[in-house]
């Protein structure tokens, strides 16, 4: 359930992402995370997915950070707030500032409304229909990656259906997935179970859940999780 009130219930990374954003290595078209600080954002600047090239991450493997985030009217501590940058995108920027990774933004072919209630209603329809909302700029391949960070908000206690579109579009066999969420109160929701089902053969590693309202204050928790998962060393 959506949080109607409490109803619901790159190193440094980003170097690569930076490069991507700067428009360098725009291979096949994409969008990538702007590195760095919470105020940085992921920018979609081409119609094709653009992936950046990074050095191996802290655990020696290549890391992809795939993020879906929605700006606009959102839930905030029982009320509503307008977000110029979605919470999950802020979190992705903070992670990208700490590790070496390539970043990819999952943009819907049909954008979600800025209106919170309209988005809740659309999400209910998509969940009930077990829909696979189309991605505007799908990544051609994740073959080069050993670890994939699947980063989204929680919608009705699970990841938005477009994350399933992404998850089912690729072969995750032998790859490690870390679910990452921002949320109002549902934590990781059912993401671990859902990604295990959508990505057969993947290893589901420890997830990270951050309350959307607190994302900008969560730097220590993020760093601690990155070290536990060996995405950040030293
Ligand atoms: C359609 C919709 C449904 C939501 N459902 C939940 C939910 O079930 N549980 C929860 O904790 N938060 C829920 N939320 C709150 C979001 O997970 C939270 O605000 C998150 O940080 C949004 O990330 P974003 O700004 O990157 O899109 C929902 C928000 C929306 C828009």
């Amino acid at each position: 359930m959506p949080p109607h009130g409490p109803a619901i219930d790159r190193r440094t990374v980003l170097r690569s992402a930076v490069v991507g954003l700067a428009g360098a290595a725009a291979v096949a078209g994409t969008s990538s995370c702007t590195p760095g600080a919470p105020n940085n954002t992921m920018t979609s600047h081409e119609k094709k997915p653009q992936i950046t090239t990074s050095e191996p991450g802290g655990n020696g493997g290549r890391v992809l950070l795939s993020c879906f985030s929605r700006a606009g009217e959102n839930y905030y501590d029982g009320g509503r707030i307008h977000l110029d940058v979605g919470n999950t995108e802020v979190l992705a920027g903070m992670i990208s500032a700490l590790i070496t990774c390539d970043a990819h933004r999952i943009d819907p072919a049909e954008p979600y409304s800025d209106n919170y209630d309209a988005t809740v209603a659309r999400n209910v329809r998509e969940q009930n229909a077990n829909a696979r909302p189309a991605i505007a700029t799908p990544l051609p391949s994740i073959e080069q990656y050993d670890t994939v960070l699947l980063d989204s908000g929680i919608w009705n206690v699970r990841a938005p259906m477009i994350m399933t579109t992404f998850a089912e579009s690729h072969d995750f066999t032998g790859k490690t997935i870390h679910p990452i969420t921002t949320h109002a109160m549902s934590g990781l929701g059912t993401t671990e179970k859902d990604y295990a089902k959508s990505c057969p053969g993947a290893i589901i590693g420890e997830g990270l859940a951050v309350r959307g309202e607190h994302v900008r204050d969560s730097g220590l928790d993020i760093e601690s999780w990155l070290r536990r998962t060996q995405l950040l060393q030293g």
Side-chain angles (χ1 to χ4, degrees), residues 1-3 8-9 68-70 74-75 83 86-89 116 119-120 123 153-157 182-187 212:
M1 305 186 349
I8 15 169
D9 146 342
F68 168 69
S69 182
R70 173 189 156 273
N74 203 352
Y75 175 86
L83 300 174
N87 295 325
T88 313
E89 183 170 342
Y116 176 78
T119 303
V120 168
N123 179 60
I154 288 287
W155 285 6
N156 200 9
V157 199
T182 65
H183 62 96
M185 60 185 74
S186 300

Side-chain angles (χ1 to χ4, degrees), residues 28-220:
T30 313
S31 54
S32 49
C33 282
T34 310
N39 288 333
N40 288 337
T41 64
M42 297 161 71
T43 305
S44 184
H45 39 141
E46 295 198 357
K47 286 291 183 188
K48 299 182 289 182
Q50 153 200 358
I51 198 67
T52 57
T53 303
S54 67
E55 299 301 317
N59 60 358
R62 287 189 186 278
V63 180
L64 174 67
L65 169 57
S66 281
C67 172
F68 168 69
S69 182
R70 173 189 156 273
E73 186 189 18
N74 203 352
Y75 175 86
Y76 188 88
D77 272 344
R80 304 286 172 89
I81 193 172
H82 177 88
L83 300 174
D84 290 331
V85 180
N87 295 325
T88 313
E89 183 170 342
V90 172
L91 179 58
M94 295 170 77
I95 292 171
S96 301
L98 292 169
I99 65 168
T100 301
C101 66
D102 292 342
H104 165 241
R105 189 165 87 179
I106 298 171
D107 284 320
E110 181 191 340
Y112 288 88
S113 172
D114 279 354
N115 180 275
Y116 176 78
D117 291 329
T119 303
V120 168
R122 175 175 165 185
N123 179 60
V124 168
R125 289 194 301 274
E126 292 181 343
Q127 286 192 4
N128 288 341
N130 196 23
R132 299 290 181 270
I135 297 172
T137 56
L139 271 188
S141 172
I142 62 163
E143 192 174 352
Q144 69 201 92
Y145 300 104
D146 305 288
T147 299
V148 182
L149 312 180
L150 294 179
D151 186 18
S152 75
I154 288 287
W155 285 6
N156 200 9
V157 199
R158 55 156 298 153
M161 297 307 288
I162 199 168
M163 295 301 290
T164 305
T165 306
F166 179 83
E168 291 180 347
S169 301
H170 297 285
D171 181 2
F172 284 82
T173 304
K175 301 182 190 301
T176 299
I177 293 172
H178 292 281
I180 300 175
T181 68
T182 65
H183 62 96
M185 60 185 74
S186 300
L188 288 169
T190 60
T191 55
E192 293 157 298
K193 174 169 70 75
D194 295 338
Y195 292 143
K197 182 177 176 189
S198 302
C199 309
I203 301 148
I204 307 298
E206 180 182 342
L208 172 69
V210 178
R211 270 198 68 187
E213 294 91 333
H214 299 158
V215 67
R216 287 178 170 78
D217 302 320
S218 63
L220 291 177

